[in-house]
Amino acid sequence: MLTILDKYILKRYLITFLGMLMLFVPIGIMANLAEKIGKIIDNEAPLAEVIVFYGNFTLVIGNLLLPVFLFLSIIFFTSKLASNTEIVAILSSGVSYSRFLRPYLIGATMVAILIFMMGMFIVPHASIGFNEFEYKYFKKGRQVQVTDNIFNQLNENDYLYVSSFDPNRKIGYNFTYEHFDSIKQLDFKISASNIRWMEKDSLYRLTNYVKRKLHDDVEYIETKRRLDTLFTFKMEDLTPVSYVAETKNLFELNEFIEDQKQKGASNINTYVLVKYKRWALPIAAFILTIIAVAVSSVKRRGGMGLNLAFGIGVAFVYIFFDKVFGTLAEQSGFSPLLAVILPNLIFGVFAVYMLLKAKR
């Protein structure tokens, strides 16, 4: 049951947190708009699309920064409590530091649940519109899909490969399709200099088509200059957009990752990293809460300004570590799980150290 102390701190906790959001989110929107207004005007983006984009922008960017906003808001109001000697009075009345910390952890739990629900179910939907607008108006011409050395396992028996893929023309070069029988022996192999999706006819066109089929140790070869045919796959399935994992909710993302693992996707680490980061953000809310309370609950000569400066520094270091390890996981063989665990582990140890120091 919540006591008067719990309600008092929790109320200040949540009001300051919401106030921080109401302050910095509009600033973030205005800063982004000031940077992108030229491209919006040059590309003649419709006003309705711009408004929807910034609604999605608020959800996508806001969710990523929620732990940081939480961290700064705790430092702000706890420093104010310390400067008014309220914390000294609370601890002098016989309340232990661990008991004083309880309403903060309750607040962190509430925010962590919010981060979890947004990251797993709300933000993925907003990410679709956010990224589509970005690549349509701000990142024209930038590569949004993997286009080189594409290998996919369609199912247990079918494999395909293209050396390069042009997503705008929907054409793949040096196409190979292999089908294996039930005992995993090659049944037939199709190759072509290119494969093109003919949208008007809803079929694929193969140029310089060659089919090799094995039957009783005899190879049969069929060749055609051009062949229009059907396949069970779609061009979009072969090369998902780079941000595809960000657009899927918890259950869709798990299925998508398993599907990509079976297909042997080369950029599987990028998708797995997105999954682990969604689980890590709620945990970060607790870690940053403990650090913020430990730092700001002690009255210092520099006051709130010094605590906020320290808090901003810690926030930037946390984001830096997160980006560095994330990049390592995406572009090398570094484990995505370690890339997510290490920043929280480092700051978790720091949180315990700061907490023990504050108790003394």
Side-chain angles (χ1 to χ4, degrees):
M1 184 175 178
L2 297 178
T3 64
I4 295 176
L5 174 63
D6 293 330
K7 292 178 181 178
Y8 175 70
I9 293 178
L10 193 56
K11 180 181 177 181
R12 297 286 295 272
Y13 183 111
L14 296 176
I15 290 176
T16 308
F17 175 61
L18 292 175
M20 192 74 70
L21 288 178
M22 297 298 292
L23 175 65
F24 282 101
V25 168
I27 291 175
I29 292 174
M30 294 306 297
N32 185 272
L33 182 60
E35 178 187 356
K36 303 293 178 62
I37 188 65
K39 291 184 178 180
I40 291 175
I41 294 173
D42 292 341
N43 293 313
E44 300 179 350
L47 179 60
E49 288 189 33
V50 174
I51 293 173
V52 171
F53 167 74
Y54 279 105
N56 293 328
F57 173 88
T58 300
L59 291 173
V60 173
I61 303 302
N63 183 66
L64 289 175
L65 296 178
L66 276 179
V68 176
F69 290 150
L70 174 67
F71 181 64
L72 295 178
S73 62
I74 292 173
I75 288 181
F76 180 81
F77 87 83
T78 306
S79 295
K80 198 168 184 181
L81 292 179
S83 65
N84 294 334
T85 65
E86 292 180 68
I87 295 178
V88 173
I90 291 171
L91 297 178
S92 299
S93 66
V95 175
S96 67
Y97 198 90
S98 298
R99 178 63 183 81
F100 167 69
L101 191 63
R102 192 178 83 167
Y104 287 94
L105 296 179
I106 294 173
T109 301
M110 297 170 66
V111 174
I113 292 173
L114 173 64
I115 293 173
F116 178 84
M117 296 304 296
M118 286 187 64
M120 295 297 187
F121 301 104
I122 299 174
V123 173
H125 179 72
S127 183
I128 298 173
F130 172 79
N131 282 290
E132 286 179 351
F133 189 93
E134 281 265 312
Y135 281 93
K136 183 178 180 180
Y137 295 109
F138 299 154
K139 300 179 180 180
K140 279 189 172 182
R142 295 192 187 182
Q143 182 173 309
V144 68
Q145 295 170 277
V146 176
T147 57
D148 296 316
N149 296 320
I150 300 166
F151 172 82
N152 261 308
Q153 180 180 349
L154 303 177
N155 50 54
E156 292 184 356
N157 301 317
D158 298 307
Y159 301 80
L160 64 82
Y161 169 82
V162 291
S163 63
S164 62
F165 175 69
D166 186 339
N168 295 321
R169 299 170 61 197
K170 294 187 178 180
I171 181 171
Y173 297 93
N174 298 322
F175 170 76
T176 300
Y177 182 94
E178 295 180 344
H179 175 75
F180 292 81
D181 58 25
S182 57
I183 58 174
K184 298 302 179 182
Q185 289 186 345
L186 183 64
D187 183 20
F188 67 82
K189 177 179 179 180
I190 295 174
S191 59
S193 58
N194 63 64
I195 178 173
R196 182 193 296 268
W197 170 247
M198 309 301 292
E199 191 166 356
K200 181 180 178 180
D201 302 316
S202 298
L203 49 77
Y204 291 96
R205 175 165 294 170
L206 302 177
T207 304
N208 297 326
Y209 163 85
V210 177
K211 180 177 181 180
R212 300 176 184 272
K213 182 173 178 61
L214 296 175
H215 182 69
D216 295 332
D217 296 327
V218 178
E219 183 179 34
Y220 298 89
I221 301 177
E222 177 187 353
T223 62
K224 289 186 179 181
R225 174 62 181 165
R226 189 178 75 183
L227 175 69
D228 292 343
T229 188
L230 294 173
F231 287 108
T232 56
F233 61 85
K234 298 178 181 178
M235 280 293 195
E236 291 78 7
D237 295 334
L238 303 184
T239 58
V241 291
S242 58
Y243 55 82
V244 63
E246 300 171 16
T247 66
K248 297 185 178 296
N249 64 36
L250 172 62
F251 306 111
E252 293 171 342
L253 183 56
N254 287 334
E255 292 178 3
F256 175 74
I257 290 173
E258 288 303 314
D259 180 61
Q260 292 299 304
K261 283 181 178 179
Q262 290 181 2
K263 291 180 177 180
S266 59
N267 54 343
I268 190 67
N269 275 5
T270 301
Y271 308 141
V272 176
L273 184 66
V274 171
K275 173 184 174 179
Y276 289 149
K277 278 190 173 183
R278 291 184 186 178
W279 288 99
L281 277 176
I283 297 173
F286 289 97
I287 294 173
L288 293 176
T289 292
I290 294 173
I291 295 174
V293 175
V295 168
S296 56
S297 60
V298 180
K299 190 173 183 180
R300 290 181 172 83
R301 182 174 299 177
M304 186 185 301
L306 181 62
N307 287 339
L308 282 174
F310 177 83
I312 292 172
V314 170
F316 274 110
V317 172
Y318 178 82
I319 293 172
F320 173 77
F321 272 85
D322 181 67
K323 289 293 183 183
V324 168
F325 286 115
T327 302
L328 284 174
E330 289 178 349
Q331 300 183 4
S332 68
F334 195 75
S335 167
L337 182 59
L338 281 178
V340 171
I341 288 177
L342 285 176
N344 282 337
L345 181 61
I346 293 169
F347 279 82
V349 172
F350 181 65
V352 172
Y353 167 75
M354 294 300 296
L355 184 62
L356 294 175
K357 185 178 179 181
K359 283 184 177 181
R360 290 198 297 268

